[in-house]
Amino acid sequence: MSWSDPARRFEPAEDVQLRAELRELLGLGAAPMRAAAPVTEELATLADDLRKEAQRRRRTERRRPSWGLMAAAALPLLAALAGLGTWGVQQKQRADTLAIHAQRQEAELSRIAAANSAELARERKAKEEAQQQLQLVARAIPKRSLPYLVIPVDKPLRLQGEGYHQVKEKPGQ
């Protein structure tokens, strides 16, 4: 009950006694007795104006946002960050998998290249040996005894087709 409330003058005796006991327990001592001033019309309007102004200020008072409101505003941001984190982890796993796959392919290619190079070396060695043997055989055979590899022809042969017919007359005939 407000101190300026006129109804407080007509408080029940039990409330007055209870209030006095509470003051004593709190160590405030007895309430100073005030002379009851007569309530005039001006004082009543002034009290009403003060009460209305206090209510208006209470309603228009700007309250600071509470932690719950700030947490609710941060939830979409946290969800977006969590989504980005999950996406990043997935991309890293994909990159790691691709790197491992590339390493395996590179190892397989190097193994195949080593096998091919060994095979090519063997083939090259065999080819060189064959050439050396051919050179030895060619040196051993005298040049005059070699048969001709090309048949000499006096005139080149001209073949005309049997089914040849002139389709168009030549111009000027």
Side-chain angles (χ1 to χ4, degrees), residues 2-173:
S2 174
W3 65 269
S4 63
D5 191 4
R8 189 168 178 166
R9 287 183 301 169
F10 305 109
E11 240 179 331
E14 297 89 18
D15 288 348
V16 173
Q17 185 182 2
L18 181 64
R19 190 172 282 118
E21 286 178 22
L22 282 174
R23 272 196 203 106
E24 285 178 27
L25 287 174
L26 292 173
L28 297 176
M33 295 301 284
R34 294 185 191 155
V39 177
T40 62
E41 185 76 24
E42 292 174 19
L43 283 178
T45 57
L46 181 63
D48 278 344
D49 288 344
L50 286 173
R51 189 180 78 252
K52 287 178 186 177
E53 180 64 20
Q55 285 177 350
R56 184 191 67 80
R57 285 187 180 182
R58 224 177 297 127
R59 280 193 305 265
T60 60
E61 182 179 279
R62 203 167 205 196
R63 293 186 180 157
R64 297 185 187 264
S66 65
W67 287 106
L69 184 62
M70 289 170 46
L75 270 177
L77 179 63
L78 291 176
L81 288 176
L84 283 174
T86 304
W87 178 78
V89 167
Q90 287 175 351
Q91 294 302 314
K92 184 179 182 322
Q93 288 174 348
R94 283 184 186 168
D96 291 344
T97 304
L98 287 174
I100 290 170
H101 185 66
Q103 286 176 350
R104 287 182 185 159
Q105 280 184 342
E106 188 175 322
E108 182 68 21
L109 287 175
S110 64
R111 186 188 61 78
I112 290 171
N116 284 344
S117 66
E119 188 176 327
L120 285 174
R122 273 187 260 125
E123 287 178 6
R124 200 175 308 127
K125 186 177 178 183
K127 190 176 183 182
E128 287 174 1
E129 288 175 2
Q131 280 182 345
Q132 286 174 359
Q133 288 177 358
L134 282 176
Q135 286 176 357
L136 288 175
V137 170
R139 286 181 194 155
I141 299 174
K143 287 199 174 201
R144 297 277 178 188
S145 65
L146 288 176
Y148 287 105
L149 298 177
V150 178
I151 303 171
V153 177
D154 293 338
K155 286 185 170 181
L157 296 174
R158 283 185 72 185
L159 298 174
Q160 289 196 353
E162 293 178 10
Y164 176 72
H165 301 285
Q166 189 171 358
V167 177
K168 249 178 145 181
E169 290 185 20
K170 290 184 180 176
Q173 284 186 354

